[in-house]
PDB file of all heavy atoms in Angstrom:
ATOM      1  N   SER A   2     191.662 135.623  52.481  1.00  0.00           N
ATOM      2  CA  SER A   2     192.990 135.046  52.421  1.00  0.00           C
ATOM      3  C   SER A   2     194.028 136.110  52.746  1.00  0.00           C
ATOM      4  O   SER A   2     193.769 137.307  52.650  1.00  0.00           O
ATOM      5  CB  SER A   2     193.304 134.528  51.021  1.00  0.00           C
ATOM      6  OG  SER A   2     192.620 133.316  50.768  1.00  0.00           O
ATOM      7  N   THR A   3     195.199 135.646  53.140  1.00  0.00           N
ATOM      8  CA  THR A   3     196.368 136.536  53.207  1.00  0.00           C
ATOM      9  C   THR A   3     197.164 136.297  51.956  1.00  0.00           C
ATOM     10  O   THR A   3     197.510 135.162  51.628  1.00  0.00           O
ATOM     11  CB  THR A   3     197.207 136.243  54.485  1.00  0.00           C
ATOM     12  OG1 THR A   3     196.345 136.375  55.603  1.00  0.00           O
ATOM     13  CG2 THR A   3     198.358 137.196  54.564  1.00  0.00           C
ATOM     14  N   ILE A   4     197.439 137.376  51.261  1.00  0.00           N
ATOM     15  CA  ILE A   4     198.062 137.290  49.968  1.00  0.00           C
ATOM     16  C   ILE A   4     199.454 137.952  50.021  1.00  0.00           C
ATOM     17  O   ILE A   4     199.581 139.063  50.578  1.00  0.00           O
ATOM     18  CB  ILE A   4     197.187 137.978  48.910  1.00  0.00           C
ATOM     19  CG1 ILE A   4     195.873 137.243  48.792  1.00  0.00           C
ATOM     20  CG2 ILE A   4     197.934 138.107  47.589  1.00  0.00           C
ATOM     21  CD1 ILE A   4     194.883 137.950  47.905  1.00  0.00           C
ATOM     22  N   LEU A   5     200.447 137.282  49.458  1.00  0.00           N
ATOM     23  CA  LEU A   5     201.695 137.977  49.196  1.00  0.00           C
ATOM     24  C   LEU A   5     202.007 137.857  47.724  1.00  0.00           C
ATOM     25  O   LEU A   5     201.919 136.777  47.127  1.00  0.00           O
ATOM     26  CB  LEU A   5     202.874 137.382  49.986  1.00  0.00           C
ATOM     27  CG  LEU A   5     204.070 138.237  49.708  1.00  0.00           C
ATOM     28  CD1 LEU A   5     204.142 139.459  50.608  1.00  0.00           C
ATOM     29  CD2 LEU A   5     205.389 137.486  49.812  1.00  0.00           C
ATOM     30  N   THR A   6     202.332 138.980  47.127  1.00  0.00           N
ATOM     31  CA  THR A   6     202.710 138.942  45.702  1.00  0.00           C
ATOM     32  C   THR A   6     203.652 140.127  45.508  1.00  0.00           C
ATOM     33  O   THR A   6     203.848 140.949  46.402  1.00  0.00           O
ATOM     34  CB  THR A   6     201.434 139.074  44.837  1.00  0.00           C
ATOM     35  OG1 THR A   6     201.810 139.155  43.469  1.00  0.00           O
ATOM     36  CG2 THR A   6     200.594 140.304  45.175  1.00  0.00           C
ATOM     37  N   GLY A   7     204.293 140.199  44.365  1.00  0.00           N
ATOM     38  CA  GLY A   7     205.209 141.298  44.151  1.00  0.00           C
ATOM     39  C   GLY A   7     206.039 141.176  42.886  1.00  0.00           C
ATOM     40  O   GLY A   7     205.773 140.289  42.065  1.00  0.00           O
ATOM     41  N   ASP A   8     206.979 142.075  42.774  1.00  0.00           N
ATOM     42  CA  ASP A   8     207.762 142.151  41.517  1.00  0.00           C
ATOM     43  C   ASP A   8     209.210 142.515  41.823  1.00  0.00           C
ATOM     44  O   ASP A   8     209.492 143.198  42.806  1.00  0.00           O
ATOM     45  CB  ASP A   8     207.173 143.220  40.640  1.00  0.00           C
ATOM     46  CG  ASP A   8     205.714 142.910  40.300  1.00  0.00           C
ATOM     47  OD1 ASP A   8     205.495 142.134  39.355  1.00  0.00           O
ATOM     48  OD2 ASP A   8     204.800 143.425  40.960  1.00  0.00           O
ATOM     49  N   ARG A   9     210.079 142.091  40.948  1.00  0.00           N
ATOM     50  CA  ARG A   9     211.463 142.586  41.007  1.00  0.00           C
ATOM     51  C   ARG A   9     211.513 143.945  40.351  1.00  0.00           C
ATOM     52  O   ARG A   9     211.024 144.084  39.200  1.00  0.00           O
ATOM     53  CB  ARG A   9     212.375 141.683  40.173  1.00  0.00           C
ATOM     54  CG  ARG A   9     212.449 140.297  40.610  1.00  0.00           C
ATOM     55  CD  ARG A   9     213.377 139.518  39.729  1.00  0.00           C
ATOM     56  NE  ARG A   9     213.246 138.077  39.967  1.00  0.00           N
ATOM     57  CZ  ARG A   9     214.162 137.169  39.660  1.00  0.00           C
ATOM     58  NH1 ARG A   9     215.255 137.518  39.063  1.00  0.00           N
ATOM     59  NH2 ARG A   9     213.950 135.929  39.962  1.00  0.00           N
ATOM     60  N   PRO A  10     212.083 144.929  40.987  1.00  0.00           N
ATOM     61  CA  PRO A  10     212.169 146.271  40.377  1.00  0.00           C
ATOM     62  C   PRO A  10     213.317 146.363  39.384  1.00  0.00           C
ATOM     63  O   PRO A  10     214.327 146.949  39.665  1.00  0.00           O
ATOM     64  CB  PRO A  10     212.371 147.198  41.554  1.00  0.00           C
ATOM     65  CG  PRO A  10     213.062 146.360  42.586  1.00  0.00           C
ATOM     66  CD  PRO A  10     212.591 144.967  42.372  1.00  0.00           C
ATOM     67  N   THR A  11     213.126 145.753  38.234  1.00  0.00           N
ATOM     68  CA  THR A  11     214.189 145.781  37.228  1.00  0.00           C
ATOM     69  C   THR A  11     213.751 146.562  35.968  1.00  0.00           C
ATOM     70  O   THR A  11     214.539 146.713  35.020  1.00  0.00           O
ATOM     71  CB  THR A  11     214.609 144.378  36.789  1.00  0.00           C
ATOM     72  OG1 THR A  11     213.410 143.653  36.430  1.00  0.00           O
ATOM     73  CG2 THR A  11     215.292 143.647  37.921  1.00  0.00           C
ATOM     74  N   GLY A  12     212.517 147.044  35.958  1.00  0.00           N
ATOM     75  CA  GLY A  12     212.038 147.822  34.814  1.00  0.00           C
ATOM     76  C   GLY A  12     210.640 148.202  35.066  1.00  0.00           C
ATOM     77  O   GLY A  12     209.974 147.647  35.983  1.00  0.00           O
ATOM     78  N   PRO A  13     210.074 149.169  34.289  1.00  0.00           N
ATOM     79  CA  PRO A  13     208.669 149.486  34.459  1.00  0.00           C
ATOM     80  C   PRO A  13     207.816 148.276  34.092  1.00  0.00           C
ATOM     81  O   PRO A  13     208.231 147.454  33.270  1.00  0.00           O
ATOM     82  CB  PRO A  13     208.462 150.669  33.459  1.00  0.00           C
ATOM     83  CG  PRO A  13     209.598 150.606  32.502  1.00  0.00           C
ATOM     84  CD  PRO A  13     210.726 149.901  33.202  1.00  0.00           C
ATOM     85  N   LEU A  14     206.658 148.174  34.719  1.00  0.00           N
ATOM     86  CA  LEU A  14     205.827 146.990  34.449  1.00  0.00           C
ATOM     87  C   LEU A  14     205.104 147.134  33.093  1.00  0.00           C
ATOM     88  O   LEU A  14     204.883 148.228  32.607  1.00  0.00           O
ATOM     89  CB  LEU A  14     204.808 146.860  35.611  1.00  0.00           C
ATOM     90  CG  LEU A  14     205.476 146.717  36.967  1.00  0.00           C
ATOM     91  CD1 LEU A  14     204.394 146.586  38.080  1.00  0.00           C
ATOM     92  CD2 LEU A  14     206.414 145.509  37.020  1.00  0.00           C
ATOM     93  N   HIS A  15     204.815 145.975  32.514  1.00  0.00           N
ATOM     94  CA  HIS A  15     204.243 146.007  31.137  1.00  0.00           C
ATOM     95  C   HIS A  15     202.930 145.196  31.058  1.00  0.00           C
ATOM     96  O   HIS A  15     202.432 144.743  32.089  1.00  0.00           O
ATOM     97  CB  HIS A  15     205.305 145.447  30.165  1.00  0.00           C
ATOM     98  CG  HIS A  15     205.883 144.099  30.527  1.00  0.00           C
ATOM     99  ND1 HIS A  15     205.101 142.971  30.639  1.00  0.00           N
ATOM    100  CD2 HIS A  15     207.141 143.717  30.830  1.00  0.00           C
ATOM    101  CE1 HIS A  15     205.856 141.918  30.956  1.00  0.00           C
ATOM    102  NE2 HIS A  15     207.110 142.348  31.110  1.00  0.00           N
ATOM    103  N   LEU A  16     202.419 145.134  29.842  1.00  0.00           N
ATOM    104  CA  LEU A  16     201.139 144.482  29.637  1.00  0.00           C
ATOM    105  C   LEU A  16     201.130 143.035  30.164  1.00  0.00           C
ATOM    106  O   LEU A  16     200.074 142.567  30.591  1.00  0.00           O
ATOM    107  CB  LEU A  16     200.772 144.499  28.158  1.00  0.00           C
ATOM    108  CG  LEU A  16     200.375 145.825  27.528  1.00  0.00           C
ATOM    109  CD1 LEU A  16     199.847 145.569  26.117  1.00  0.00           C
ATOM    110  CD2 LEU A  16     199.286 146.502  28.385  1.00  0.00           C
ATOM    111  N   GLY A  17     202.258 142.353  30.053  1.00  0.00           N
ATOM    112  CA  GLY A  17     202.326 140.985  30.535  1.00  0.00           C
ATOM    113  C   GLY A  17     202.054 140.932  32.058  1.00  0.00           C
ATOM    114  O   GLY A  17     201.273 140.111  32.527  1.00  0.00           O
ATOM    115  N   HIS A  18     202.660 141.863  32.788  1.00  0.00           N
ATOM    116  CA  HIS A  18     202.386 141.968  34.231  1.00  0.00           C
ATOM    117  C   HIS A  18     200.918 142.308  34.485  1.00  0.00           C
ATOM    118  O   HIS A  18     200.290 141.815  35.373  1.00  0.00           O
ATOM    119  CB  HIS A  18     203.229 143.058  34.891  1.00  0.00           C
ATOM    120  CG  HIS A  18     204.687 142.820  34.839  1.00  0.00           C
ATOM    121  ND1 HIS A  18     205.583 143.565  34.120  1.00  0.00           N
ATOM    122  CD2 HIS A  18     205.466 141.864  35.434  1.00  0.00           C
ATOM    123  CE1 HIS A  18     206.800 143.143  34.287  1.00  0.00           C
ATOM    124  NE2 HIS A  18     206.770 142.089  35.072  1.00  0.00           N
ATOM    125  N   TYR A  19     200.395 143.199  33.645  1.00  0.00           N
ATOM    126  CA  TYR A  19     199.049 143.680  33.788  1.00  0.00           C
ATOM    127  C   TYR A  19     198.033 142.573  33.703  1.00  0.00           C
ATOM    128  O   TYR A  19     197.199 142.382  34.619  1.00  0.00           O
ATOM    129  CB  TYR A  19     198.769 144.806  32.786  1.00  0.00           C
ATOM    130  CG  TYR A  19     197.445 145.456  32.936  1.00  0.00           C
ATOM    131  CD1 TYR A  19     197.065 146.151  34.071  1.00  0.00           C
ATOM    132  CD2 TYR A  19     196.503 145.444  31.921  1.00  0.00           C
ATOM    133  CE1 TYR A  19     195.871 146.749  34.215  1.00  0.00           C
ATOM    134  CE2 TYR A  19     195.283 146.049  31.992  1.00  0.00           C
ATOM    135  CZ  TYR A  19     194.978 146.703  33.161  1.00  0.00           C
ATOM    136  OH  TYR A  19     193.746 147.329  33.294  1.00  0.00           O
TER     137      TYR A  19
END
Side-chain angles (χ1 to χ4, degrees):
S2 285
T3 302
I4 295 173
L5 184 83
T6 177
D8 301 277
R9 298 181 192 201
T11 52
L14 302 179
H15 53 62
L16 288 187
H18 296 114
Y19 184 61

